[in-house]
Amino acid sequence: MLSRKAEDYLEAILNITEKKGYTRVKDIALALDIKPSSVVEMLKKLNDNGYVVYRKYDGVTLTQKGREIGSLVKDRHDTLRALLEILQVPEKIANKDACIMEHELETKTVEQLKNFVRFVKSAPDYPQWLQHFRTFCETGVHPCEADKQKGIGSTDKS
Ligand code: FE2
């Protein structure tokens, strides 16, 4: 199994390559906030283990094995970020925490979270329960419960 750090590299290289068409050391250093010299060190290791092809002046490309892992991690990241955003976590935090969670969860858990995200996003209208959840986050009271209490209140008065 790859280290969390190595997974982050493969994911970052995939993202950068998809955006720019190529990846250089400085792009990775910037994306992961790591010194270029440390990036080079890691790229050499990933090259030796067959995850990337790294040539000093040509930049870095993913091998098939590296691309498979990079795609898997990116997919996990996208699922977790989407889930956190559904849960009203601000985008920046969701993105940061998705990057932590993406390495740690069991495959089955991620599969179910992905199903959940797809379920929510495929709803034809913005789901009412999700609207209720937003209200709940703001007020601490479930809107249905609040309605019920109002209902009981008016019944008491009558
Ligand atoms: Fe990530």
Side-chain angles (χ1 to χ4, degrees):
M1 214 181 112
L2 276 176
S3 69
R4 183 183 146 180
K5 214 165 119 194
E7 286 187 351
D8 277 337
Y9 270 76
L10 299 176
E11 183 193 17
I13 295 165
L14 182 74
N15 280 331
I16 296 162
T17 307
E18 278 181 359
K19 215 191 288 172
K20 295 180 67 176
Y22 60 87
T23 303
R24 304 240 184 267
V25 169
K26 65 170 193 285
D27 301 317
I28 305 171
L30 202 70
L32 298 177
D33 196 19
I34 294 171
K35 299 198 301 266
S37 58
S38 309
V39 172
V40 168
E41 222 172 278
M42 180 58 119
L43 288 179
K44 282 181 184 163
K45 275 190 215 158
L46 290 170
N47 181 89
D48 293 348
N49 290 308
Y51 293 104
V52 304
V53 176
Y54 169 61
R55 299 282 173 270
K56 205 172 174 189
Y57 299 105
D58 295 337
V60 55
T61 50
L62 293 167
T63 61
Q64 196 190 328
K65 175 164 105 161
R67 174 169 288 274
E68 274 166 23
I69 295 176
S71 304
L72 198 93
V73 179
K74 180 177 161 45
D75 189 57
R76 285 176 153 235
H77 182 107
D78 292 345
T79 295
L80 291 161
R81 195 197 54 222
L83 174 78
L84 293 172
E85 284 178 11
I86 288 170
L87 296 175
Q88 308 295 307
V89 176
E91 192 185 330
K92 214 172 158 191
I93 301 174
N95 211 21
K96 180 172 160 272
D97 280 353
C99 240
I100 296 168
M101 294 160 78
E102 70 197 11
H103 308 284
E104 310 294 340
L105 304 178
E106 288 284 340
T107 307
K108 186 64 194 167
T109 303
V110 178
E111 190 188 312
Q112 282 312 103
L113 293 179
K114 193 174 179 174
N115 277 333
F116 181 72
V117 168
R118 286 173 54 215
F119 171 73
V120 172
K121 292 204 163 175
S122 65
D125 300 309
Y126 192 82
Q128 197 192 20
W129 62 267
L130 199 46
Q131 187 58 52
H132 284 178
F133 177 65
R134 292 177 82 143
T135 308
F136 181 82
C137 292
E138 284 158 18
T139 63
V141 181
H142 195 296
C144 292
E145 192 55 38
D147 287 349
K148 216 166 87 190
Q149 276 168 13
K150 270 187 233 156
I152 290 167
S154 59
T155 315
D156 284 350
K157 265 181 235 158
S158 62

